[in-house]
Structures are given as C-alpha cells and as structure tokens.
Amino acid sequence: ETTSDYPFHFSGYGTYQLPFGHGRQFFNTNRYLNPVIGGWQVSATYQFLSGTPIQWGSVPGAGVIYTGSGWRDFHNVQHSSANVIGGSVFNTSVFDTRTCQNGSTGTCQNDPSLAGFNPNIQPTGNNYRTFPAYLLRQDYTSDWDANVQKNTTFGEGISMELRIEAFNLLNRPQYTTPNVSPTSPSLGTANGVYSGSFARQLQAGAHIRF
C-alpha cells in the first residue's frame, strides 16, 4: 500500500429540467409567464474519493510503538469539526508516547548535545517496526457542485443563457493529515485544511447568442 492508494472513487452528474414554460408540461401556452418561469434547469455533480493512507514510517525513526489490543482500539473518526480545534482523529492512548527512559518527561533531554541527555526510547533506524507503515486514512473527498440555468429566446436567432453556479455547495472542508509523531503534543489531530479545499464559491454569468 502507498499514499497513492484510493480504493473508492465515484463521480456522478445529473440534470433536471423544470416542467414549466414553452415545450414543458405545465404553463406551456402562456406567453406572458414563459419568460419568467420557462427554460429553467438544475444540474449537480458529486465526487467521492477515499482518503489517502496515513503514512506512519520514519516518524520519528522506523515507526511507532502500538500498545493496543486490536485495530478496533483506534476508533478512527474522519471529518469532525473538532479536528481543526485539536480533537483527536483516532485514539492516541494506544501508542507509547514516552520521550525519555523510565517514563520521565521533565528531568531529561532527548538532544545529545544537551547536558541532561537521556536516550530517546522511541524507535530508531536500528529497531524493528511494531506498527505498519500505512494504516488508517486521512479525510476523504466528498464534494457537491451545482448550477441553476435558464435559457431564454428573444426572437429568431437571439437567445440568452443565464447561469448561477455553486462550487463546494455544502461548504465542506477537507482536513489535512493528522499528526502521527508519538512524541508530539498534537498527536492524532488535524490542525488545518488543504490549500485546495476552498470554501463555498458562488458565481453568476450570462451568455448571449445571436
């Protein structure tokens, strides 16, 4: 498995023409109402993409130490608003988060250049890995785009297309990969969104043909 593994990818598109006005089921003979209620249609596009596998290797050395009894101990929760404000995406209590021997965190240093140095007990390049390189997934993509469109004919050879479009209609952010360093105080949290995960955007435009 790699960070390029996306087992589920679904895209869908649909268009619905409102049944009002000329050539439609209702009010199709009223020439006064037709310029207002005729020619409307609604379209929507949906995309779902599995989240990228979380890469655990090389943080801080060859892997992390897992102390849980099974994979269900993770309680992995994707896409929670708590992630941005420091809530855990997964259960962090199932990892060895000690940074110094004997469980001490305040009386020793992990920097060999400092006087109080005490070796870091986390895995290094010389230790066997006790946890997979890839496990769990970061936030998935779930995006709705939609538009409302009206086509109006003014006369022979003259028409106008009016469009109102919404991108990321439900205003759903996509959170970044959670922190997987066992010695970090923010272990298990996603503290932001991807730069390409923009907020809802609306735009309107008109296209005249003649």
Side-chain angles (χ1 to χ4, degrees), residues 6-19:
Y6 303 100
F8 299 105
H9 186 186
F10 173 81
S11 296
Y13 174 81
T15 297
Y16 176 69
Q17 293 183 334
L18 275 64

Side-chain angles (χ1 to χ4, degrees), residues 13-16 18 40-45 144-150 161-167 169 203:
Y13 174 81
T15 297
Y16 176 69
L18 275 64
W40 288 98
Q41 69 179 35
V42 179
S43 302
T45 303
W144 281 96
D145 298 330
N147 73 74
V148 178
Q149 176 179 319
K150 176 177 170 56
E161 178 187 282
L162 176 65
R163 293 175 63 93
I164 302 174
E165 299 177 301
F167 303 97
L169 178 65
Q203 70 178 26

Side-chain angles (χ1 to χ4, degrees), residues 29 51 55 108 153 165 206:
T29 60
Q55 184 175 359
C108 67
T153 300
E165 299 177 301

Side-chain angles (χ1 to χ4, degrees), residues 43-115:
S43 302
T45 303
Y46 176 70
Q47 177 173 249
F48 176 88
L49 182 66
S50 299
T52 302
I54 297 175
Q55 184 175 359
W56 298 80
S58 71
V59 186
V64 295
I65 300 176
Y66 177 72
T67 61
S69 59
W71 301 130
R72 292 184 179 180
D73 291 343
F74 285 115
H75 302 294
N76 183 219
V77 179
Q78 290 191 335
H79 194 73
S80 166
S81 60
N83 298 350
V84 174
I85 59 175
S88 294
V89 178
F90 51 82
N91 179 19
T92 60
S93 66
V94 292
F95 297 99
D96 189 339
T97 60
R98 293 174 297 165
T99 57
C100 294
Q101 291 182 355
N102 302 320
S104 174
T105 58
T107 59
C108 67
Q109 295 285 349
N110 294 308
D111 186 342
S113 65
L114 300 177

Side-chain angles (χ1 to χ4, degrees), residues 139-161:
D139 196 17
Y140 53 85
T141 299
S142 179
D143 180 68
W144 281 96
D145 298 330
N147 73 74
V148 178
Q149 176 179 319
K150 176 177 170 56
N151 296 311
T152 303
T153 300
F154 296 103
E156 185 176 352
I158 302 176
S159 63
M160 181 179 73
E161 178 187 282

